[in-house]
Structures are given as C-alpha cells and as structure tokens.
Amino acid sequence: MTFAELWRELEPIGRDPQTGGYRRYSWTEADAQCRAWFTGQAAKRGLAVETDNNGNLWAWWGPKRPGAVVTGSHLDSVPDGGAFDGPLGVVSALAAVDLLKDKDFSPERPVVLAAFTEEEGARFGVPCLGSRLLAGVVDPDAARVLTDDAGTTLADAMIAAGTDPGDLGPGDDLLRGIGAFVELHVEQGRALAPMGAALGLAEGIWPHGRWRFVFSGRADHAGTARLTDRRDPMLPYAATALAARQAAADRGAVATFGKVIVEPNGTNAVPSAVRAWLDARAADESVVEDTVTTVRSAAEGLCEEHGVTLSVRQESFTPLVRFDQALRDRIAATLAAAGVQAPVLPTGAGHDAGVLAARVPTAMLFVRNPTGVSHSPAEHADLADCEAGVRALAAILEDLAGPA
Ligand SMILES: [Zn+2]
C-alpha cells in the first residue's frame, strides 16, 4: 500500500469532531483501535506481531535473530494533538516495508516495526512510559499505581483493556537483540523549511523534565470573602507562570505551564487548590535545573505572600541524549548516495528514541513541518515530504538489514 492509502485508514481513529485534534490516550478505546489497525496491517504483510510486557507492539519481518533493525514510533497523542506526531513514524515504517517488498528485498537481519505505548505521557504523566519500562528506568511498581486525572491506575486501565499489568518491567533480552533503532518523526519546530530540506537527522535531545506544583489555599465564597482574608492559590500560581516565562527567557531555556487543575473549579468560588505542571527544557542540564530552581523560589515567595502552601515534586527528568554518531554517519551516507541532503538538527522534544539511545545505537529522521506547529490539530507535513521520508527510511532499512 502507498503511504497515502495507509494514512487515510488510520486518520479518523481517535479524532475529536469538534476540535479536529486527536485524543488517542493509552489503554482507551481509541488506543485499542490504533493497535488493532497496526496489528492487522502487520499481519497482512506476513509480519509476526508481539506485545511485550509493557504493551509495546513489535512486528517482525524475518525470523528472530540478534542484530534486529527496528523502526517505528508511537500511536498515542497529547490532548487534541496533531495527526503526525507518532503515527507518521509507524505508517512510514509500514510503507517502507511495502517499498522493499516491491523490489523483492529480503532482510538478512530482521526488520522490526515498533509502536510504543504512552509516549506522550498524556494519560499517566510519565512520557515514554512504554520505552522507559522496557529499558528498566521506571520502576514497575511505581508505574502500576500511576493514576490518570479520573483516578484510574495504570494497572486498572491495562486490565480494562485486557492486558496483564503484572509483567511490566525491563526487557533486556529484547533490547539485546536490537542492532539499531531508527525513529522517523515529524519535525517539531521549524528548522528544515528555511533550509529548503524535506528531511533532517537528529543530533541529540535537550534535557527536559516535568515538575508538579501544588498550590494549596482555602476555598471561599467569591462574593463574600474579603480580599484581604483570602488564601487564594490562583494568585501565586498566576505569578509563577509569569516567573517561569521570565526565568526561561533569561537563560535561553523554554518553560511551560501547560496543564492546570483548579479545585473545586467553580466560577463563584475562591479555589482551594491549583495543581500545575511545569515542563522545562534547555540545551544544558544545569540550565534546566537553574530555571526550575528559580521558578520554585519565586513560587515559594509568592505563596508566603498569599498565605498559600506549596509542594513541588519532580515527575520525570530526561538527561541530554546524544544519538549514535556512527549510525548517523552511515545513514547520512546512505541518504547522500540516494541524492538526499538531510541536515543535522538538535531537538527540544523527547522521544522513545531518546530512551532507547542509552541501550542501542539509535538515530532519528525528521520530516519537514512547514509551520513548525506540533502538539496541535494544526500540525502538518506535506504528502510529498512524507513520501520522501518513506523512501529514505526504506533505503536506510535496506542498508542496515541488507548483506553486510
Ligand atoms: Zn512523538
């Protein structure tokens, strides 16, 4: 099948008709449909699909042998996310297999298509949860009790989806069998368009993390409580959001409060609590730490002023990731031989490739995003660029899984 045919099939699943954005949260009905679609497509191609202990899907082309060449990405989305972030890598992988089959290529090392679970952390708060569990960097007991906003634990969500959460944990044998992992992903940001390049290669991933700030005050009546008597957590939170912007701007970092939960969330009530999540990223780990420390001390001062208590907890942190230089050079040579120039770019976005890079030689291929907008229904890549991505991926797989 062509890329466009595959894309059309997956496109409607989990799309909200009001916003046009995707709500493909892990272990939901939309997620189950995406998984079923991927499994069906893999089966049609004669690939053997397996689900690992952590819910990640692996479709094997060729018998299981060491040195597997893995490609893929994720199918879950952020709230009202775009169509491309994640699925582009999975659909391109299927389309690349078709290109290779059309030319009667048969892999000497297995080619494996992967779809990772809960990459965005949109439901349970920890990004790249599936790949982190696989790599053994998240404790399975801690993972099982992660809760979504409705209070459902990961364990219960998995059971409801018919999957046993009892086996969560590292997959050392699986990882040992991987010779290379190449994740194709839509560009997030806008670096390729000004360079006139359809494709790019990742240099590394900025260190990044998430911190949960809880501002606890006292619920009160919005009409009768005198301003001076209030302990309103919204006020220190609001000023903290501004402080985060300033702290990031002063340091060449980025810092975002993108998720806020207000309790009790009533129009006529002074809130009792504001829970807010800070996402901070920078080229350097010390800059991320310094940014967060500055935001935190600003929040502490503001809370004192307003009689509000503060607690801050780090929910995740991912150190600087450098992708494998030798693999990148080899891919660049393959692409150059095919007449494709792919500039090397740093990225501020986290990926499963960033997690796996600690364990296996890993590379990322970006497909141009003309506006740079991502994590939004406006996220886009042109069909011609997606097709160029598929051809490039096929050439890379042919080289990596072909005769030594
Ligand atoms: Zn992604």
Side-chain angles (χ1 to χ4, degrees), residues 22-55:
Y22 287 87
R23 297 176 182 178
R24 291 169 174 163
Y25 308 134
S26 61
W27 308 112
T28 61
E29 178 54 30
D31 183 56
Q33 286 179 38
C34 288
R35 289 166 171 275
W37 179 82
F38 173 76
T39 303
Q41 287 297 337
K44 261 194 219 173
R45 288 162 177 77
L47 314 184
V49 184
E50 288 185 355
T51 308
D52 69 16
N53 296 351
N54 304 300

Side-chain angles (χ1 to χ4, degrees), residues 21-25 76-82 85 120 122 374-376:
Y22 287 87
R23 297 176 182 178
R24 291 169 174 163
Y25 308 134
D76 67 314
S77 77
V78 297
D80 284 330
D85 178 356
E120 299 289 5
S374 186
H375 285 184
S376 149

Side-chain angles (χ1 to χ4, degrees), residues 183-204:
E183 181 170 0
L184 179 150
H185 203 279
V186 69
E187 181 188 19
Q188 296 172 291
R190 191 172 171 275
L192 291 172
M195 293 190 243
L199 304 173
L201 285 167
E203 179 186 44

Side-chain angles (χ1 to χ4, degrees), residues 79-231:
D80 284 330
F84 294 84
D85 178 356
L88 183 63
V90 176
V91 173
S92 297
L94 288 163
V97 166
D98 287 350
L99 283 189
L100 293 172
K101 289 196 169 213
D102 284 348
K103 55 193 281 191
D104 289 329
F105 173 76
S106 75
E108 302 229 333
R109 277 165 293 285
V111 170
V112 187
L113 278 44
F116 292 98
T117 297
E118 181 79 351
E119 191 274 346
E120 299 289 5
R123 184 164 181 195
F124 294 104
V126 179
C128 302
L129 185 59
S131 55
R132 282 183 211 252
L133 281 163
L134 171 70
V137 294
V138 165
D139 175 50
D141 287 329
R144 276 186 280 266
V145 297
L146 289 169
T147 53
D148 66 10
D149 291 340
T152 305
T153 62
L154 173 66
D156 287 341
M158 288 181 73
I159 291 165
T163 304
D164 179 10
D167 295 334
L168 291 179
D172 291 330
D173 288 346
L174 183 55
L175 287 171
R176 262 194 295 274
I178 300 176
F181 175 50
V182 181
E183 181 170 0
L184 179 150
H185 203 279
V186 69
E187 181 188 19
Q188 296 172 291
R190 191 172 171 275
L192 291 172
M195 293 190 243
L199 304 173
L201 285 167
E203 179 186 44
I205 299 178
W206 279 14
H208 56 280
R210 296 179 179 189
W211 290 261
R212 188 178 68 174
F213 284 60
V214 181
F215 301 83
S216 304
R218 187 183 59 213
D220 216 328
H221 192 292
T224 58
R226 294 193 314 167
L227 293 178
T228 48
D229 291 341
R230 294 181 182 191
R231 289 166 49 205

